[in-house]
Amino acid sequence: MVAGSLGYLTAGVDDLIDDVNTTCLDWLGLSRVEVVGRRSIQDLLAPGDRIYYDTHIRPLLEITGEVKEIAVELVDADGGRRPVLINVAVHADATGGRTRTVVVLIEATERRRYEQELLRQRQVAERAAVRVGALYEVASGLAGILTEADVARVVSERSAASFDGAECSVWLFDSDLGAVTRAGSDETATTVEIADVVERAPALAQLANGEVLVVEDSHASIGEYPLIEQWMRSAGRRSLAIAPLHADGRLIGLLGYGFDVVHEFDEQDRQVALTLATQTNHALERARGFGAEVQSRERLEGLLRFSTRLSGAMSVDEVLDTIDEEGGRLLRTRRIRVVLLDEEHRTVRYFGGGQPSQDVALATQSVGCEVVRTGEVVFCTNGRELRRRFPESPLLAEGHAGRVIGVPLARDGEVSGAVVVAFSSPGAIIDADRTLVRVFAEQADQAVRRAVLHDNEVSARRRADQLLALSSAVNAAVTTREVAGAITSRGMRAFDAAWLAVYVAEGDDNERDRFELFAHGDAGDATPDFPVEISAHEGVVADLAGRRTPRYAYGRPTPDLDCGAFLELPWSALGFLPLTMSDRLVGLVAIGFEDTTDLTPAAQVALAGLTAEASAALGRARRYELQHEVAVTLQASLLAGELPTTPGWRISVVYRPGSEHLMVGGDLFDVTVAGDGRTVVIVGDVVGHGLDAAASMGQLRSAARALALVSDGPLEVLQGLDKFARITPGVRCSSLVCLSLTPDGAGTHASAGHPYPVLCHPDGRSELLLGGRSALLGVGRNPDSEATFEVEPGGRVVVYTDGLVERPGEHPDDGFARLRGHLEAEFGPGQSCDASAIARTVLGRTQPRDDAVVVCVARI
């Protein structure tokens, strides 16, 4: 023990010091008067040791009576601290009570220094062990890594343990140090300009020499690396160490450790950073070699897949979709634009890139236009160069900042377009990209040319099919309005017209002074305001009447052609087609196009053909309508005229012919008021269908009306008609029923083979009138029977022909039952009823298979 290194003091029962040696007083810097009787043992200790004395040392003294070599600190008069080892013993009296406490203090400054050094060395060893473990973790993590991104991820995640409290980031440069991709343990991967991370001098020069760059305190920095220090402050970093990553003697990236607090970097820190950088270099070299092999294989497979799908693409749209989708995967980009030059070499159209197609002038300062103009390949390494050289590029509107390659689509020196590939990151264009894009463009050029030919062929075939459909529709049209409708509906599609209108002259040959709008159509959202009629003596109509050949106009004004009101309609090209009959102008077709290129010489030839076919069809329609008008007049004469006024009765009639082309058939009806006030109702059915049956029906109806006026009752009418049927061809075997009704409701009926009339009572009941029957007219013996019935007020009688009730394969009784069921269910007590309502209920709205007549006689 060194002399003077031992302190001694004692304390009484009250814990106050009653004796102290000079050594202890020298340590404390106090006089004996300041200590003896004034201070306790705890008063000499540091605050924490006072608590320790009460919680540990005093309990041990109570139990064992002494403690040895407890490390504590004395506090001197100036507040300084001196480490000592305290030994305390308690003296007791005979009864065991404490009488005195003896304290021996051993000065322990050197020992504390020794212990601290041991602790520091132990921490260094532990830290080295942690770093070795971290290096091993990094090495084991990199063993199976095959991509640069995974290398950066593993290193950034696992190497952070080498430095307590650090965040690790890996920065990988592109080929010309234009930008870096960052993968960090605290963020996802990002790509930024290199100028935002390190300045080119002196930081890059130091890192290129293999040195570790250190900034220990960015707040106290003298500005040696101003950009780095500025970035550190904005990112909240106080300390930073950056180790270089090299390959083939070239700086390829950085390995950085950032601290939120000040960190003092020693030589071991630098060596660890360099060691981790070396591990990362080896892994990156291995990953890049494997990545190059994988990329080469993927590119070959992608090129094969692209070629296979492209060879199967037929139309231009399919080719463009393939270039956009498969090309994007092949070139690792989603921005591929195909630029196609128009036939007039004035504009180009941009396709692809996930954007709508757009037309731009060939003179536009863009990559695609430059390639088409010069026929040369164009390169841009980044967004700044793109903006400087091609300020009107559509890529700039999309915020593109990466490298761009433009390759011409050309064959035999003729440039038809370009392929523009925009990569996501900036940088120099590598040879592999140049070669791949060139092969890509060659295949795209072949596919586009093939698709254009295919689309032209499909378009020509479609146009031919539409012209054939137009010709068929025009030739199949029967009426003038059908001809006009066929020209409009089919012509719009056949000629891709913006609008089309058909005008037809009204009146006979001597009165054709105006042409009226018969049909029109348009392809836009709003229907053009077509002229309703055109004068035959003015403008284009007079011109066509004199020339009788189609006239065309391209653009405005039209000095050689008076277009009149058609100048107000939207068009870029306009055509007028004359429709003639017997060398007279009977109509015209006006057709407008959105673009002058739509009205080609081939389209004019097709329009001339339409003119000839439409003229012939219009002539046929005029002749048909004249014949039809005559036929309608004759058919109308076969039907009964207006119903007479019938005292006490309300009569309604409906006639449903079985043919959609005729107004009348073989069924007949007639209502006559005899001289004595009786109402005579006749309904019949002539054998057969069509015009022959209608002619026979007309004869039978005329004979029946004449007999009804001179006969006393239904039986006399049938007897006279039976004789008439025996001598009149076409009337024999006809069925007929005749009813005679007086104003007071009394009725008589007679039937020659006709379906039973139905008597409907006011309470809703119905019954068939079965009496007064005989054979068909002109067959068997002369009719000799008639029957009577009575119609109550509110009642009705329904007389009809077999077309109302008969169905193929059905028994007649079923038809009668169905009719009665409808009458009782639909037209019961208090329900209004007429012949039309009965026909709609029983037959529906479809065309009947046979002629059908319904006569409803209701008593008022």
Side-chain angles (χ1 to χ4, degrees), residues 65 130 344 623 651 743 753 796:
V130 170
E344 298 180 359
R623 290 190 292 271
I651 301 178
R796 60 182 72 95

Side-chain angles (χ1 to χ4, degrees), residues 502-536:
V502 180
Y503 291 83
V504 178
E506 289 295 322
D508 58 25
D509 293 347
N510 298 320
E511 296 179 356
R512 291 173 182 162
D513 59 349
R514 57 193 176 91
F515 289 74
E516 293 188 358
L517 179 64
F518 257 55
H520 60 82
D522 70 284
D525 296 331
T527 302
D529 190 11
F530 294 103
V532 176
E533 62 179 40
I534 312 172
S535 172

Side-chain angles (χ1 to χ4, degrees), residues 649 757-769 789-799 819-825 827-829 833 838 856-859:
W649 304 95
V758 179
L759 175 61
C760 299
H761 296 283
D763 59 3
R765 294 177 300 108
S766 69
E767 60 175 299
L768 300 177
L769 299 180
F789 61 94
E790 183 178 356
V791 182
E792 302 173 64
R796 60 182 72 95
V797 180
V798 178
V799 192
L819 173 60
R820 291 179 63 189
H822 282 304
L823 292 174
E824 293 177 356
F827 308 104
C833 174
I838 295 173
C856 180
V857 185
R859 184 177 175 189

Side-chain angles (χ1 to χ4, degrees), residues 238-312:
R238 290 292 297 273
S239 297
L240 177 70
I242 302 177
L245 301 176
H246 288 88
D248 300 327
R250 182 174 60 87
L251 187 65
I252 64 170
L254 305 173
L255 181 63
Y257 293 92
F259 297 84
D260 296 337
V261 298
V262 175
H263 180 84
E264 296 182 1
F265 293 92
D266 55 19
E267 186 59 30
Q268 188 181 60
D269 291 340
R270 298 173 183 266
Q271 290 301 319
V272 168
L274 288 174
T275 301
L276 286 170
T278 301
Q279 285 186 327
T280 305
N281 279 333
H282 294 329
L284 287 173
E285 184 177 357
R286 183 174 66 251
R288 287 184 173 178
F290 178 78
E293 178 184 351
V294 170
Q295 186 179 40
S296 177
R297 184 170 63 251
E298 288 179 348
R299 285 185 167 183
L300 287 175
E301 292 174 352
L303 190 59
L304 177 60
R305 185 170 56 250
F306 172 70
S307 301
T308 301
R309 183 173 170 186
L310 197 62
S311 64

Side-chain angles (χ1 to χ4, degrees), residues 200-534:
R200 294 184 178 273
L204 282 182
Q206 182 177 336
L207 292 167
N209 291 331
E211 302 176 25
V212 177
L213 186 150
V214 172
V215 177
E216 291 193 343
D217 188 356
S218 61
H219 292 181
S221 175
I222 61 175
E224 185 177 3
Y225 308 108
L227 289 179
I228 293 179
E229 293 160 6
Q230 179 182 352
W231 172 77
M232 289 174 62
R233 285 190 289 271
S234 64
R237 297 285 188 260
R238 290 292 297 273
S239 297
L240 177 70
I242 302 177
L245 301 176
H246 288 88
D248 300 327
R250 182 174 60 87
L251 187 65
I252 64 170
L254 305 173
L255 181 63
Y257 293 92
F259 297 84
D260 296 337
V261 298
V262 175
H263 180 84
E264 296 182 1
F265 293 92
D266 55 19
E267 186 59 30
Q268 188 181 60
D269 291 340
R270 298 173 183 266
Q271 290 301 319
V272 168
L274 288 174
T275 301
L276 286 170
T278 301
Q279 285 186 327
T280 305
N281 279 333
H282 294 329
L284 287 173
E285 184 177 357
R286 183 174 66 251
R288 287 184 173 178
F290 178 78
E293 178 184 351
V294 170
Q295 186 179 40
S296 177
R297 184 170 63 251
E298 288 179 348
R299 285 185 167 183
L300 287 175
E301 292 174 352
L303 190 59
L304 177 60
R305 185 170 56 250
F306 172 70
S307 301
T308 301
R309 183 173 170 186
L310 197 62
S311 64
M314 301 300 295
S315 67
V316 172
D317 287 341
E318 290 174 350
V319 169
L320 294 174
D321 288 343
T322 301
I323 291 174
D324 196 26
E325 295 172 11
E326 291 296 340
R329 283 192 284 268
L330 172 63
L331 301 176
R332 298 176 182 273
T333 179
R334 290 303 298 167
R335 284 176 175 166
I336 298 180
R337 291 295 188 90
V338 177
V339 182
L340 298 181
L341 182 64
D342 72 341
E343 295 181 356
E344 298 180 359
H345 291 205
R346 291 186 301 181
T347 62
V348 297
R349 175 166 292 184
Y350 275 77
F351 299 92
Q355 301 293 325
S357 62
Q358 58 184 122
D359 295 328
V360 300
L362 183 58
T364 302
Q365 293 301 310
S366 67
V367 176
C369 292
E370 178 72 11
V371 172
V372 174
R373 285 194 301 265
T374 64
E376 302 292 333
V377 178
V378 171
F379 300 101
C380 286
T381 58
N382 53 47
R384 291 189 298 273
E385 182 182 359
L386 178 67
R387 185 175 295 104
R388 177 179 58 82
R389 294 176 57 189
F390 306 105
E392 298 174 291
S393 172
L395 291 171
L396 295 174
E398 303 169 23
H400 181 70
R403 61 190 187 276
V404 178
I405 307 178
V407 181
L409 300 177
R411 179 178 297 179
D412 300 330
E414 181 184 353
V415 178
S416 61
V419 172
V420 179
V421 181
F423 295 91
S424 58
S425 60
I429 310 298
I430 62 176
D431 291 339
D433 286 341
R434 296 171 187 256
T435 303
L436 188 61
V437 173
R438 179 180 56 79
V439 175
F440 177 86
E442 289 176 356
Q443 295 197 5
D445 176 54
Q446 296 173 3
V448 168
R449 291 177 184 271
R450 184 182 68 247
V452 168
L453 292 176
H454 172 269
D455 283 1
N456 289 339
E457 179 185 350
V458 170
S459 177
R461 188 164 56 246
R462 178 181 61 84
R463 176 64 62 84
D465 291 342
Q466 290 175 342
L467 289 174
L468 179 61
L470 170 61
S471 176
S472 300
V474 169
N475 286 297
V478 176
T479 66
T480 300
R481 199 160 296 278
E482 288 177 356
V483 171
I487 294 173
T488 301
S489 60
R490 298 288 184 174
M492 288 282 295
R493 290 192 293 269
F495 295 100
D496 292 327
W499 52 262
L500 189 150
V502 180
Y503 291 83
V504 178
E506 289 295 322
D508 58 25
D509 293 347
N510 298 320
E511 296 179 356
R512 291 173 182 162
D513 59 349
R514 57 193 176 91
F515 289 74
E516 293 188 358
L517 179 64
F518 257 55
H520 60 82
D522 70 284
D525 296 331
T527 302
D529 190 11
F530 294 103
V532 176
E533 62 179 40
I534 312 172

Side-chain angles (χ1 to χ4, degrees), residues 9-19 37 39-41 58 90-91 98-102:
L9 59 88
T10 61
V13 178
D14 57 0
D15 284 340
L16 293 177
I17 298 173
D18 55 13
D19 191 14
R39 304 192 182 211
S40 65
I41 299 173
R58 191 182 296 280
V90 176
H91 292 179
R98 180 168 65 89
T99 60
R100 195 174 189 77
T101 301
V102 179

